[in-house]
Amino acid sequence: MKRWLRQRVDTAYERLLSREISGAPTHVAVIQDGNRRYARSQGGDAHEGHRAGAETTERVLEWCQDIGVEELTLYTFSTENFDRPDEQNEALFDLLCEKLHEFADADRVHDNGVCIRAIGETQLLPERVQNAIEYAERRTQDYDQFVLNIALAYGGRSRLLEATRGVAADVEAGDLDPDAIDIEDIERRLYDQPIRDVDLIIRPAGEERTSNFLPWHANGNEAAVFFCTPYWPEFSKADFLRGIRTYEHRQESWRRTRARRALALLGAVSEPELSEARSIVDRFRDSLPSSERPDAGELEANDSNSRIAD
């Protein structure tokens, strides 16, 4: 297909997808996969692929802000990536330093109140990268309109392991009662600053796995996951909007499931549980197909039956 025709088709598809989307996830997490494969397909080296991927990252940040996403997390460098050839990693570290400084000084970052944060075992990174991280975080630390998390030297299991060790140490020292351990105790130990639950994970380049990415915040929240085939440098706005649509469909399915479960329980619950079940049905009734929606009379009948059974 000729390039001009492809561009017109893509633009029309983007408009169609934009009309279909009615809301936005709060927190999107992206696994930036396929930079090196893209470079090989273009006859270039890994560094050229990473640089092209960085340009995609800038566009995705803009798209997120355009539709109302409040937090974006980018899986940029995992702990396993340290095993790659030194020349590849050194070039990537140079690019990270360049982009962190560039982002920290960009007018669009300050105009939009973007807070830049790094998550992961950043002390394992070269000193120049740590300095660039410190610069970007310091320059944007007072902003709260949008949060950009950059996962560097990151491993989801290792973060959970460190949090668990912290809890165990506090219990052994007598500073924490085992019976009092709650979700907040774990979350406080995962990262220096709070991270919202992940609503949507996007992974390009054809791999259908989430690779140990934010397991506490994504799996615990039953995040929607969107897999697509383009390499990260080729990731388009249409791909992004398809991911958002996947999230919306996942939310609709979740609401229908909640409503059906609550409706099924109405006839069997005891009085203390009845008001909660009815509240769920009332909230999510519109997500059910019309043939399944109960009317007020049916709800009252279920209510009466429950009281009689009690």
Side-chain angles (χ1 to χ4, degrees):
M1 185 182 293
K2 292 182 178 180
R3 179 174 296 182
W4 66 267
L5 181 56
R6 165 57 63 185
Q7 290 175 341
R8 293 188 64 179
V9 171
D10 289 346
T11 299
Y13 187 39
E14 288 175 13
R15 286 199 297 266
L16 174 63
L17 289 170
S18 296
R19 287 196 295 267
E20 291 180 350
I21 292 171
S22 58
T26 299
H27 185 180
V28 174
V30 178
I31 300 172
Q32 301 167 289
D33 197 14
N35 292 320
R36 293 182 301 158
R37 280 175 283 166
Y38 169 80
R40 286 196 296 268
S41 73
Q42 302 298 309
D45 59 24
H47 177 64
E48 292 170 328
H50 286 125
R51 184 166 289 278
E55 295 175 1
T56 299
T57 298
E58 294 181 35
R59 292 193 293 269
V60 170
L61 177 58
E62 293 177 2
W63 299 338
C64 284
Q65 292 173 316
D66 287 344
I67 69 168
V69 174
E70 297 178 20
E71 188 160 353
L72 172 65
T73 300
L74 303 170
Y75 202 173
T76 301
F77 190 86
S78 72
T79 50
E80 290 79 10
N81 291 155
F82 283 112
D83 296 330
R84 290 178 178 172
D86 288 342
E87 62 271 17
Q88 286 189 18
N89 282 342
E90 289 302 318
L92 178 55
F93 293 150
D94 288 341
L95 179 61
L96 285 169
C97 290
E98 174 189 330
K99 289 300 178 180
L100 283 166
H101 280 93
E102 183 180 304
F103 268 47
D105 293 333
D107 289 340
R108 65 182 181 279
V109 167
H110 296 281
D111 291 343
N112 292 296
V114 178
C115 177
I116 300 173
R117 305 188 308 203
I119 60 173
E121 309 298 325
T122 56
Q123 74 278 3
L124 302 177
L125 296 165
E127 185 176 357
R128 67 185 188 279
V129 181
Q130 294 184 49
N131 291 338
I133 290 170
E134 191 278 331
Y135 179 78
E137 290 183 335
R138 175 167 46 81
R139 290 273 286 149
T140 63
Q141 64 184 352
D142 295 327
Y143 298 139
D144 60 5
Q145 291 180 251
F146 188 93
V147 176
L148 174 62
N149 301 309
I150 305 175
L152 296 169
Y154 176 84
R157 284 184 177 182
S158 64
R159 295 310 309 153
L160 287 173
L161 179 59
E162 288 302 313
T164 303
R165 286 172 173 166
V167 169
D170 284 352
V171 170
E172 185 177 3
D175 297 329
L176 183 62
D177 181 354
D179 294 332
I181 297 171
D182 55 19
I183 290 174
E184 287 72 24
D185 285 313
I186 302 297
E187 290 185 342
R188 280 194 298 269
R189 290 169 168 81
L190 286 173
Y191 306 104
D192 293 335
Q193 299 182 66
I195 292 178
R196 296 178 177 90
D197 284 341
V198 176
D199 301 305
L200 170 66
I201 293 178
I202 294 174
R203 180 164 192 163
E207 294 284 353
E208 296 191 0
R209 51 196 173 89
T210 56
S211 294
N212 194 24
F213 188 31
L214 296 171
W216 180 275
H217 296 86
N219 297 342
N221 195 43
E222 298 184 12
V225 182
F226 174 67
F227 299 113
C228 60
T229 56
Y231 298 133
W232 179 242
E234 300 172 316
F235 188 79
S236 68
K237 188 174 183 178
D239 296 319
F240 175 74
L241 294 173
R242 287 170 57 214
I244 301 302
R245 187 175 62 181
T246 295
Y247 159 77
E248 288 200 326
H249 290 171
R250 171 71 179 79
Q251 288 297 100
E252 291 169 4
S253 174
W254 178 82
R255 287 193 291 267
R256 283 196 300 271
T257 299
R258 289 290 303 275
R260 285 168 175 160
R261 287 175 179 171
L263 186 60
L265 286 170
L266 271 177
V269 296
S270 61
E271 186 66 28
E273 300 165 316
L274 184 60
S275 60
E276 180 180 356
R278 290 195 61 180
S279 174
I280 292 173
V281 172
D282 288 339
R283 284 174 57 200
F284 300 124
R285 184 188 313 185
D286 292 343
S287 67
L288 293 170
S290 56
S291 60
E292 297 183 32
R293 294 176 191 170
D295 57 29
E298 289 178 285
L299 292 179
E300 290 298 330
N302 281 327
D303 192 350
S304 299
N305 290 337
S306 294
R307 283 196 292 268
I308 291 173
D310 289 343

